[in-house]
């Protein structure tokens, strides 16, 4: 080993050059230089490696004509360097052989550049496999004969030395160039790397480390979420919600603080510039129950899996952005109810009054942005099976119940508590049949408004008249029309409906003296402004009794999310296949006053120079309906 160490020092440049030439070119000049030096310095092993050399000795000296004669110790070191360089070309070994140290920060090391001949030789060597490249180096640099080259390659672990020599025969460049400075890893040039690129990478690394630290800090926060165990039974009985990381934010902490709730005095609505939910007073016998309010706010902030949550379409269900307004907190039937308003939504929290977690907690959201005096007249305070209770606005003087299906019947008074909660009445939203359709009439100082429950927190306002002059339902004729429309309201249930307007856009005499018919358009507007639903009805006129308005109307056409039959586009066109009392079939159609003529095509051909059309047909016929407006443009039927 002492002789091998002396040989390494004496022939160090040549050994490093050999390793540099055999190493895979994919490492790049800088890594090849460092790896070649590491291979040469690690050629002398300690421990078991030294023991094997001491026991077996160094390879015997062999002399060949034309070969460079080396000492056995030098041959041993050369074999170690060659074996390490060949192992570096194997993907599974590269990680182990390629050294992590020494590393030179801020510098790139590479041998001096040669001429075009050296470049050609370097390219030729790069195209060879590692064993063939080693054969070329042993031939040209060590000047070994082919037999010795095969022996050295076999000793270095090459599986097929003959194939390596055959592949090396294809190199036509002179081997003498291997001694040029181009391939001398001990005579180096030092240059800086791409400083701008290194600066960008350093900034990206700092940002990545900062992001990982922030994520680690967030993941390491204690607790099981914002609301912990939500409204667990023990917490409800103690009245103290679990501590959550959400409350550590200043704005969120204020939103969850019952003492920070916005409370409105009972007389504020009389002097308020706005008559909507912002002027509703805080009511209810539990409005001062801090523990109840804290539970409600905590569940709102982050409900757990045990909470039954619902929301009207397109209503955000996230936590409050600040301290909301408290509208009501009190007992409603078998539940304790809390109603909040945050400027965009009405939020209803309900928990069972028996303080048993088995009853479950409900959390409902309803969008009410843009509410006015007419649409902020009442809220649903409680719902039990098929019964419902309303909480009315402070400006409502009286409440009564009217059955929409009995337009001739007088409304019956509905009792209210001092807090504005009505007595329970049958909800049409949960009724299994359309035998009755109860709506509430709210009377204030300016109008009498008709509202009905559609299965949401906010009842829908019912109106009549053309879109440009929609008004509250009044008079027997409008109530008769709504009596034949009320059963169709189930098609817009739980759809986020703000108001429903139904108006007669045409009246038509029926063929064969079968009387007349009314054409109506019913449009349901939503709180979100999109998703409106439109129905065109055909109502054959019959002699109504004193209590009923006649049979329900037939749906002639329906459409969704369309401006038709609304304030922006009040025109509507629809048709039906109708059978007379005499047994004959007709295609009947009617358009609003914007239409000048109508035509049918397809299964039934016909034309009318007015906005009404009646064409003989057969049972099962299908016709395509089109109309021409007074300005000459053509419009299809509602669909």
């Amino acid at each position: 080993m002492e002789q091998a160490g002396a040989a390494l020092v004496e022939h160090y440049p040549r050994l490093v050059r050999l390793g540099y030439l055999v190493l895979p070119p994919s490492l790049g000049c800088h890594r090849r230089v460092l790896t070649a030096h590491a291979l040469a310095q690690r050629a002398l092993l300690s421990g078991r490696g030294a023991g094997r050399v001491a026991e077996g000795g160094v390879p015997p000296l062999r002399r060949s004509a034309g070969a460079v004669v080396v000492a056995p110790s030098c041959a041993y070191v050369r074999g170690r360097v060659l074996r390490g360089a060949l192992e570096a070309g194997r993907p599974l070994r590269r990680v182990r052989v390629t050294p992590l140290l020494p590393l030179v920060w801020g510098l790139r090391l590479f041998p001096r550049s040669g001429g075009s001949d050296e470049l050609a030789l370097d390219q030729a060597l790069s195209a060879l496999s590692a064993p063939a490249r080693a054969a070329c180096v042993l031939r040209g640099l060590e000047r070994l004969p082919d037999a010795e080259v095969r022996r050295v390659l076999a000793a270095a672990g090459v599986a097929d030395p003959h194939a390596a020599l055959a592949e090396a025969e294809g190199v036509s460049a002179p081997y003498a160039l291997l001694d040029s400075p181009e391939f001398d890893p001990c005579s180096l040039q030092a240059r800086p790397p791409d400083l701008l690129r290194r600066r960008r990478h350093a900034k990206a690394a700092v940002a990545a480390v900062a992001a990982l630290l922030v994520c680690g800090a967030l993941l390491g926060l204690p607790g099981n979420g914002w609301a912990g165990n939500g409204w667990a039974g023990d917490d409800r009985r103690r009245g103290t919600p679990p501590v959550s990381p959400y409350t550590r934010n200043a704005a969120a902490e204020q939103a969850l603080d019952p003492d920070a709730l916005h409370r409105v005095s009972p007389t504020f609505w009389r002097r308020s510039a706005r008559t909507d939910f912002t002027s509703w007073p805080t009511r209810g016998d539990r409005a001062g129950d801090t523990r109840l309010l804290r539970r409600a706010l905590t569940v709102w902030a982050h409900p757990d899996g045990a909470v039954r949550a619902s929301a009207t379409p397109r209503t955000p269900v996230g936590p409050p952005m600040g301290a909301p307004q408290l509208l009501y907190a009190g007992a409603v039937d078998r539940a304790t109810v809390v109603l909040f308003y945050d400027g965009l939504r009405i939020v209803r929290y309900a928990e069972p009054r028996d303080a048993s977690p088995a009853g479950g907690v409900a959390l409902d959201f309803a969008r009410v942005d843009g509410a006015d005096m007419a649409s902020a007249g009442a809220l649903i305070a409680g719902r039990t099976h098929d019964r419902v209770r309303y909480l009315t606005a402070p400006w409502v003087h009286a409440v009564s119940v009217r059955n929409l299906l009995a337009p001739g019947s007088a409304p019956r008074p509905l009792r209210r508590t001092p807090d504005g909660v009505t007595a329970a009445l049958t909800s049409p939203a949960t009724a299994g049949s359309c035998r009755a359709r109860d709506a509430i009439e709210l009377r204030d100082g300016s109008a009498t408004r008709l509202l009905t429950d559609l299965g949401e927190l906010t009842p829908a306002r019912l109106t009549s008249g053309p879109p440009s002059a929609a008004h509250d339902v009044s008079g027997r004729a409008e109530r008769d029309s709504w009596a034949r429309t009320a059963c169709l309201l189930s098609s817009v249930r739980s759809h986020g409906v703000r108001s429903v307007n139904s108006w007669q856009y045409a009246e038509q005499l029926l063929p064969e003296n079968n009387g007349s018919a009314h054409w109506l358009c019913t449009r349901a507007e939503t709180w979100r402004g999109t998703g409106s639903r439109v129905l065109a009805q055909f109502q054959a006129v019959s002699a109504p009794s004193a209590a009923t308005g006649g049979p329900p109307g037939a749906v002639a056409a329906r459409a969704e999310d369309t401006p038709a039959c609304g304030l922006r586009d009040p025109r509507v066109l629809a048709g039906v296949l109708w059978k007379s009392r005499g047994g004959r079939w007709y295609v009947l159609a009617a358009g609003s006053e914007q239409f000048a003529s109508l035509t049918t095509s397809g299964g039934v051909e016909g034309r009318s120079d007015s906005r009404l059309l009646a064409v003989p047909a057969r049972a099962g016929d299908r016709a395509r309906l089109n109309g021409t407006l007074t300005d000459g443009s053509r419009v299809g039927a509602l669909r």
Side-chain angles (χ1 to χ4, degrees):
M1 289 305 297
E2 293 179 357
Q3 294 177 5
L8 175 63
V9 173
E10 180 181 357
H11 301 284
Y12 185 82
R14 195 174 193 83
L15 294 171
V16 172
R17 184 190 293 260
L18 183 146
Y20 178 82
L21 289 169
V22 177
L23 282 169
S26 59
L27 292 178
C29 291
H30 177 75
R31 296 298 299 170
R32 287 171 68 192
V33 166
L34 296 180
T35 306
H37 282 272
L39 290 175
Q41 294 175 19
R42 292 168 52 195
L44 299 181
L45 300 180
S46 60
R48 291 183 298 172
R52 286 196 301 270
V53 173
E55 295 170 4
V58 298
L61 179 63
R62 297 193 180 190
R63 298 179 182 271
S64 301
V68 177
V69 178
V70 296
S73 56
C74 184
Y76 167 75
V77 176
R78 181 183 63 191
R80 296 295 304 170
V81 173
L82 181 61
R83 178 182 290 272
L86 289 172
E87 287 181 350
R90 301 167 190 162
L92 295 179
R93 299 294 185 89
R94 184 173 300 175
V95 175
R96 182 179 66 84
V97 175
T98 303
L100 296 177
L101 293 174
L103 291 179
V104 182
W105 291 92
L107 289 178
R108 287 296 178 264
L109 304 176
F110 48 91
R112 297 181 180 276
S113 300
S116 58
D117 295 335
E118 287 84 353
L119 178 60
L121 177 59
D122 184 50
Q123 291 176 348
L125 292 176
S126 300
L128 298 177
S129 63
R133 193 164 49 250
C136 288
V137 173
L138 291 175
R139 270 180 166 183
L141 187 64
E142 298 295 311
R143 297 185 178 89
L144 298 180
D146 290 351
E148 186 70 13
V149 169
R150 285 193 294 269
R151 189 196 66 79
V152 174
L153 289 178
V158 176
D160 192 354
H162 293 276
L165 274 172
E167 184 181 353
E169 293 291 344
V171 178
S172 59
Y175 288 146
L177 295 177
L178 294 175
D179 283 321
S180 67
E182 172 90 13
F183 308 109
D184 185 5
C186 291
S187 178
L188 302 174
Q189 297 183 88
R191 293 291 185 272
D194 188 342
L195 299 179
L196 294 178
R197 182 180 179 185
R198 187 176 69 177
R199 185 177 182 181
R200 289 194 299 267
H201 288 180
K203 290 182 178 180
V206 172
V209 171
L212 287 175
L213 292 176
V214 172
C215 293
L218 292 177
L219 292 175
L221 290 175
N224 296 324
W226 286 351
N229 293 325
W231 67 282
D234 292 340
D235 293 326
R236 292 183 63 248
R237 285 188 284 272
R238 290 195 301 266
T240 303
V243 178
S244 71
Y246 178 76
T247 59
R248 298 177 184 178
N249 179 275
E253 185 176 359
Q254 183 183 16
L256 297 180
D257 184 6
D259 296 331
L261 288 172
H262 183 50
R263 301 169 184 263
V264 178
S265 65
T267 59
F268 175 74
W269 66 273
R270 300 181 184 274
R271 63 180 186 276
S272 174
R274 296 172 55 180
T275 310
D276 54 17
F277 291 112
T278 60
S279 58
W280 274 41
T282 300
R283 291 174 284 182
D285 57 355
R286 302 286 295 275
D289 191 336
T290 302
R291 292 185 296 178
L292 168 65
L293 300 178
R294 181 176 286 111
R295 287 198 302 271
L297 291 170
T298 303
V299 172
W300 179 7
H302 188 71
D304 61 15
V307 176
R308 301 192 311 270
S310 67
T312 56
R314 300 286 183 89
T315 300
V317 295
M321 294 174 288
Q325 178 182 344
L326 177 61
L327 302 181
Y328 178 82
V332 180
D333 293 326
R334 291 177 294 178
T336 302
V337 175
V338 182
L339 290 171
F340 299 105
Y341 172 63
D342 67 351
L344 173 67
R345 304 164 292 179
I346 295 292
V347 180
R348 178 180 179 270
Y349 168 85
E351 66 181 29
R353 294 180 63 184
D354 58 3
S356 171
V361 164
L363 190 65
D364 304 310
F365 297 85
R367 184 172 175 174
V368 293
D369 48 321
D372 53 14
M373 183 177 184
S375 54
L379 293 173
I380 303 297
R383 192 188 303 277
T384 305
H385 301 298
D386 62 341
R387 309 287 283 177
V388 65
R389 294 180 186 268
Y390 295 88
L391 176 65
T392 57
W395 53 81
V396 174
H397 300 325
V399 183
S400 57
V401 181
R402 183 180 289 278
N403 184 4
L404 294 178
L405 302 184
S409 302
R412 62 183 188 274
L414 186 63
R415 182 177 52 85
R416 291 187 297 169
T417 66
D419 290 332
V421 179
T422 68
L425 70 155
T426 303
S427 170
T430 56
S433 62
C434 196
R435 297 180 180 178
R437 189 84 195 191
D438 286 341
I440 59 171
E441 277 189 345
L442 305 181
R443 291 187 291 276
D444 53 38
S446 59
T448 299
R449 313 185 195 281
L450 194 63
L451 292 86
T452 188
D453 177 28
L454 293 181
E456 300 168 352
L457 280 179
T458 56
R461 180 191 177 196
L462 306 181
T463 59
S464 296
S468 59
H471 55 270
D472 291 296
V473 179
S474 62
R476 178 59 190 271
E478 293 180 352
R479 289 197 294 270
D480 285 343
S481 175
W482 264 109
R484 307 183 65 180
T485 304
C487 290
L488 301 177
L489 289 174
S490 58
S491 63
V492 295
R493 180 180 180 272
S494 301
H495 196 62
V497 175
R498 175 175 182 166
S499 63
V500 183
N501 183 54
S502 186
W503 61 289
Q504 178 181 319
Y505 67 87
E507 183 175 1
Q508 182 179 23
L509 292 176
L510 299 176
E512 302 178 14
N513 295 322
N514 277 243
S516 62
H518 295 163
W519 292 87
L520 285 83
C521 188
T522 303
R523 180 181 176 88
E525 296 284 0
T526 65
W527 285 97
R528 62 188 181 277
T530 59
S532 58
R533 296 192 175 186
V534 180
L535 301 175
Q537 296 182 62
F538 173 80
Q539 296 181 356
V541 176
S542 60
S545 65
T548 63
V555 177
R558 66 180 71 226
E560 185 174 349
D561 206 8
T562 174
C565 194
L567 186 61
R568 291 182 55 189
D569 186 9
R571 64 181 182 232
V572 58
L573 171 63
V576 295
L577 185 63
W578 174 81
K579 184 180 181 181
S580 69
R581 287 193 292 266
R584 298 180 181 86
W585 291 89
Y586 294 86
V587 171
L588 306 180
S592 55
E593 60 184 7
Q594 295 86 359
F595 287 85
S597 64
L598 305 178
T599 59
T600 61
S601 58
V604 179
E605 301 289 338
R607 176 181 174 82
S608 172
D609 291 330
S610 68
R611 62 190 184 102
L612 303 174
L613 179 143
V615 178
R618 293 173 299 179
D621 279 347
R622 293 181 177 272
R624 185 166 54 251
L625 181 62
N626 288 283
T628 303
L629 302 178
T630 54
D631 61 3
S633 57
R634 292 177 61 83
V635 177
L638 180 69
R639 63 179 61 191

